[in-house]
Amino acid sequence: MREGTLEARLLDVLGRDAVVMGEGVAAYTVDGLQPRAAVRPATVEQVSELLRLAHAERLAVVCWGGGTMMGLGNRPLRYDLALDLRRLDQVVEHEPADLTATVQAGITLASLQERLGRHGQMVGLDPPYPRRATVGGTLATAVAGPRRLSLGHPRDITIGMRVVLADGRVTRAGGRVVKNVAGYDLCKLYTGSLGTLAVIVEATFKLYPRPRAEAALFFSFEGAEGACRLAREGRRRGLALASATVQRQEGAYLLLARLAGTERAVERSALELHSLASPLGGETVAGVMDRWEAAMAAPAGPARGLTLRWGLLPARLPQAMERLGDLSPSLLVAFPTVGTLYARWEDIDDAAALMAAEGARRLAREWEATLTVHSCPAALKEGLDVFGEPPSSWRLMRQVKERWDERGVLAPGRFLGRL
């Protein structure tokens, strides 16, 4: 389809204010590729019409939310349209008495939490950059932060979805009530699929009451073992531990323990953590929150530098952190009660990044861990599958992709095995 014809068709569906072409599409670059146009639909019906057009013309569509995780995934094989969903930002239905809410995919996590907070409730999503991260992007990438310990994975709290398939059909999965057992749980299929199977336009969540009291405690350790052990011990004892994060700073290991619950539970848990820390070689520190947050504030958006993510047994995290600390990453952080480890190098050239990624795969095999290249320079993705070797289930995954999206409309090549 010629550019003039494409623009005319898009304007016919959306109107002038919702179509971006020319220099404006640079903001939607993915791994060095720019789309022919970016579109900003305001309704589910417009999303459906756009995908009907893309399906008929075999245009490749990549979804955008806040853009915080666009570095995750393989380089697209084709890229014609950027589908920006941020205008779909409404709370469709909130039933405080039932602890459920249905929201559109473009609403940010910060906005959603603020609205639910007026009713003393919260949703169990914990992505980085909540002021920019959207519900749809969080589900599509299946990003879970340190509060996965207490809140669960995005798959665990999503009870329903409304999605638009590659050919424009609008379908539902799950429902709007917690007790829903009818049919296949397609919500789990769509969560983490990077927008390669369907475009998520609505999601229904089961909610949590907001805790009555919260506290944040910092402990400093010379080694990673003590920091990780304190977090695991706090969990084993059933303390009011909402999340635990260990960060390496200036040769030391800082543990941030966030507590949440009733006032008495938080107070008791704080006292017990203090008493446990000293025998493990830890000491309480104060006044480090600004330094901590500054270190965590990686650039939100398309890839800059190299970021690696391992999933491994929590018992192996201390050794892994010590090994990686010798490689001088700009950020080294772990969730010791979950088994997730991130390492980031800000200033690294392509050759060094490739060597680091290859070395990381060797370490992953040694630790019996999974490894994802969470973000990296675009050139590095030419000969690298960021998700590693496809699993034995890959052939089945390919069949699902071919059945859901036979023309390769939705983010072709972005997923594991370049699906």
Side-chain angles (χ1 to χ4, degrees):
M1 183 187 295
R2 295 193 304 272
E3 294 299 319
T5 305
L6 175 61
E7 182 176 13
R9 296 283 296 276
L10 295 177
L11 291 175
D12 184 55
V13 174
L14 296 173
R16 174 65 61 182
D17 294 340
V19 178
V20 178
M21 298 192 76
E23 295 181 358
V25 301
Y28 294 92
T29 301
V30 176
D31 295 329
L33 298 178
Q34 290 187 11
R36 296 165 61 185
V39 291
R40 300 168 177 168
T43 66
V44 175
E45 290 72 23
Q46 288 181 339
V47 176
S48 175
E49 287 295 322
L50 286 167
L51 288 182
R52 284 197 188 99
L53 171 62
H55 188 262
E57 300 294 338
R58 297 182 181 270
L59 301 175
V61 178
V62 174
C63 293
W64 276 74
T68 63
M69 290 291 159
M70 295 307 294
L72 178 62
N74 289 309
R75 194 170 192 258
L77 298 177
R78 297 179 293 114
Y79 185 19
D80 298 302
L81 291 180
L83 178 54
D84 187 334
L85 297 168
R86 283 176 290 182
R87 293 176 68 190
L88 295 172
D89 62 354
Q90 299 301 304
V91 175
V92 178
E93 184 178 15
H94 178 206
E95 296 291 346
D98 294 335
L99 284 172
T100 61
T102 300
V103 303
Q104 292 184 318
I107 192 170
T108 66
L109 265 296
S111 177
L112 177 57
Q113 298 287 27
E114 191 275 330
R115 297 189 198 189
L116 296 176
R118 299 170 193 167
H119 300 271
Q121 296 177 350
M122 59 184 288
V123 65
L125 299 176
D126 185 31
Y129 322 112
R131 294 189 180 280
R132 287 184 54 186
T134 62
V135 162
T138 301
L139 294 177
T141 56
V143 171
R147 297 198 74 172
R148 179 178 177 180
L149 165 67
S150 55
L151 301 178
H153 191 275
R155 289 187 179 93
D156 302 327
I157 64 166
T158 306
I159 58 178
M161 282 185 186
R162 191 179 182 198
V163 303
V164 183
L165 301 180
D167 60 5
R169 287 178 295 162
V170 181
T171 67
R172 292 188 183 274
R176 292 189 177 183
V177 294
V178 174
K179 292 185 178 180
N180 178 44
V181 295
Y184 296 107
D185 190 354
L186 294 179
C187 296
K188 288 183 171 60
L189 179 67
Y190 297 136
T191 302
S193 65
L194 283 182
T196 60
L197 296 178
V199 176
I200 300 170
V201 290
E202 284 182 13
T204 300
F205 301 106
K206 58 181 179 182
L207 307 177
Y208 297 92
R210 278 193 175 274
R212 295 182 181 180
E214 296 182 88
L217 306 178
F218 280 98
F219 301 93
S220 178
F221 295 82
E222 290 186 4
E225 177 63 36
C228 293
R229 280 191 62 189
L230 178 59
R232 295 199 304 270
E233 185 64 16
R235 180 185 185 185
R236 189 187 70 82
R237 295 187 179 213
L239 303 185
L241 190 62
S243 68
T245 309
V246 177
Q247 184 187 126
R248 188 176 189 270
Q249 283 197 8
E250 300 175 357
Y253 292 84
L254 291 179
L255 167 65
L256 169 57
R258 292 190 180 274
L259 307 177
T262 65
E263 292 184 3
R264 292 187 65 181
V266 169
E267 182 179 353
R268 180 184 66 84
S269 297
L271 291 173
E272 193 160 348
L273 282 175
H274 284 299
S275 67
L276 290 170
S278 183
L280 294 174
E283 60 180 29
T284 305
V285 292
V288 296
M289 181 61 81
D290 289 345
R291 192 178 75 191
W292 174 280
E293 292 181 341
M296 294 290 285
R304 175 185 167 187
L306 174 69
T307 303
L308 304 174
R309 181 183 69 192
W310 290 264
L312 66 166
L313 292 174
R316 290 178 174 157
L317 271 176
Q319 176 197 6
M321 291 196 79
E322 299 279 2
R323 290 275 298 274
L324 289 171
D326 295 336
L327 302 179
S328 302
S330 54
L331 177 69
L332 182 60
V333 62
F335 309 150
T337 54
V338 176
T340 303
L341 173 63
Y342 287 90
R344 186 178 75 234
W345 291 264
E346 290 287 359
D347 300 313
I348 188 169
D349 59 35
D350 292 352
L354 180 59
M355 290 181 62
E358 291 174 347
R361 295 215 187 281
R362 290 193 294 271
L363 291 176
R365 289 192 290 270
E366 178 184 333
W367 300 333
E368 298 181 316
T370 61
L371 172 68
T372 301
V373 179
H374 212 263
S375 64
C376 67
L380 185 59
K381 293 188 178 182
E382 292 290 342
L384 174 73
D385 189 322
V386 301
F387 299 104
E389 292 296 322
S392 58
S393 59
W394 184 79
R395 295 179 67 180
L396 176 60
M397 296 165 68
R398 184 179 64 183
Q399 292 173 4
V400 171
K401 170 66 174 175
E402 291 172 349
R403 181 64 62 90
W404 256 253
D405 183 15
E406 62 182 356
R407 294 194 173 186
V409 170
L410 296 175
R414 291 275 282 164
F415 198 57
L416 187 151
R418 304 192 185 278
L419 289 178

